[in-house]
Amino acid sequence: MTFRNTIDFLASCIFTKRCRFCNRVCDVRDEICSRCADDIHRIEGEICNNCGCNKTLFNHKERKHFFESICAPYYYEGAPQKAVIHLKHKINPNILTRLAEDMSECTKERYKELEFDYITYVPMHQSDIKQRGYNQAQALAEEISKNLSIPCYPLINKDYSTKSQHILRGVYRTGNLMGALSFNKKAGIDVSDTRILIVDDIKTTGATLDECAKALLYEGCAEVRCVTACIGTKNKIPEDDKKEKE
Ligand SMILES: [Zn+2]
Ligand SMILES: [Zn+2]
């Protein structure tokens, strides 16, 4: 064993480093394991404000949302998907802070001309928080709030527990939420004429974010933008279709 290898070996015994996406133990010098390294699905290129996906790789039939625009660092696939699933099950400080950093960077980059008055997040019902232990959207929002020095408040209430959104098909999603989300007057914040950033972990149809945006706009908020860790890829144009068009 060379001197360099000995140092590395000793270091790996003392400090265990875990992958920032899947939490597997990985090489102490890296923060991404070899499996995740080739599986990072970044959202790049020209991006559609309405759905947050690449303009040419996706179809854009999604209805116009109540929020002005959405951005996210990743698509909900591969390594970032693993990270979000990890967060749903339990607080993992490393995965949480790294995803929040990526979301903060994405916000700075995509919304560089905009100033936000407040950050808020997609709420969870108290009974669901009790079951899971925490609200991952809130945890991400609080980190982003620190990173960007924008105050974060619980501006939206979840008045009753709804069936988990992901088990319902798109058409039922909006109906499932109707009336469940409302403005949280108890936060004591006047949102009139403000610009607010809503944080969540994933955007699929955007129905939940829309309901949150509606609750804020109804209270006089001037503009709502969103940031999530990942965006679902259901509107991705299949490779075969693209070839046919070429
Ligand atoms: Zn990994
Ligand atoms: Zn779009």
Side-chain angles (χ1 to χ4, degrees):
M1 205 180 260
T2 65
F3 178 69
R4 181 77 234 163
N5 287 345
T6 313
I7 299 258
D8 281 351
F9 174 74
L10 290 174
S12 66
C13 294
I14 301 164
F15 315 103
T16 329
K17 203 143 197 192
R18 288 184 174 272
C19 172
R20 53 161 300 196
F21 289 107
C22 73
N23 207 40
R24 282 198 323 148
V25 174
C26 62
D27 193 302
V28 74
R29 289 161 302 184
D30 299 326
E31 49 156 9
I32 302 175
C33 75
S34 52
R35 267 192 238 171
C36 290
D38 298 326
D39 209 14
I40 303 169
H41 301 258
R42 280 188 193 284
I43 300 181
E44 289 169 329
E46 242 197 290
I47 294 156
C48 166
N49 280 336
N50 193 45
C51 68
C53 297
N54 179 285
K55 275 189 178 168
T56 50
L57 303 176
F58 286 73
N59 75 53
H60 300 276
K61 289 174 189 156
E62 203 163 288
R63 72 193 154 77
K64 177 83 185 82
H65 292 293
F66 286 88
F67 50 84
E68 206 64 38
S69 65
I70 178 158
C71 70
Y74 306 108
Y75 292 112
Y76 191 56
E77 285 186 333
Q81 182 174 19
K82 283 182 199 159
V84 167
I85 292 169
H86 256 281
L87 272 197
K88 270 196 197 300
H89 295 296
K90 74 171 203 269
I91 302 176
N92 185 318
N94 185 41
I95 292 181
L96 176 76
T97 49
R98 298 312 310 272
L99 271 185
E101 275 169 23
D102 294 338
M103 292 164 76
S104 306
E105 283 308 307
C106 188
T107 303
K108 275 199 275 184
E109 165 72 25
R110 293 293 312 283
Y111 303 140
K112 53 175 167 275
E113 273 113 44
L114 305 177
E115 271 186 39
F116 290 98
D117 298 287
Y118 304 115
I119 288 179
T120 195
Y121 49 88
V122 173
M124 257 167 79
H125 190 258
Q126 279 306 326
S127 62
D128 297 326
I129 295 179
K130 242 185 205 160
Q131 209 177 19
R132 188 176 289 176
Y134 83 126
N135 175 356
Q136 72 278 10
Q138 178 180 358
L140 287 167
E142 284 166 357
E143 286 290 319
I144 297 167
S145 161
K146 276 189 263 170
N147 294 343
L148 302 180
S149 307
I150 303 167
C152 176
Y153 293 104
L155 297 177
I156 302 150
N157 267 335
K158 185 134 183 200
D159 302 321
Y160 51 86
S161 184
T162 39
K163 268 190 188 164
S164 252
Q165 284 283 294
H166 66 267
I167 55 171
L168 293 167
R169 285 202 312 197
V171 280
Y172 298 117
R173 288 193 175 188
T174 313
N176 183 48
L177 275 169
M178 273 219 283
L181 297 168
S182 63
F183 181 69
N184 178 22
K185 287 198 166 61
K186 284 190 191 145
I189 302 293
D190 179 6
V191 295
S192 39
D193 296 322
T194 55
R195 181 182 286 127
I196 295 176
L197 181 71
I198 307 180
V199 175
D200 203 2
D201 53 354
I202 323 163
K203 176 239 169 206
T204 45
T205 63
T208 312
L209 289 167
D210 258 342
E211 291 299 313
C212 292
K214 266 196 263 179
L216 295 173
L217 294 168
Y218 191 75
E219 288 298 314
C221 164
E223 193 179 289
V224 176
R225 309 254 173 178
C226 304
V227 62
T228 59
C230 295
I231 292 183
T233 55
K234 73 178 171 63
N235 293 328
K236 197 172 187 174
I237 301 167
E239 283 298 315
D240 298 347
D241 288 15
K242 267 190 283 177
K243 277 183 202 132
E244 273 167 31
K245 276 182 196 161
E246 277 163 12

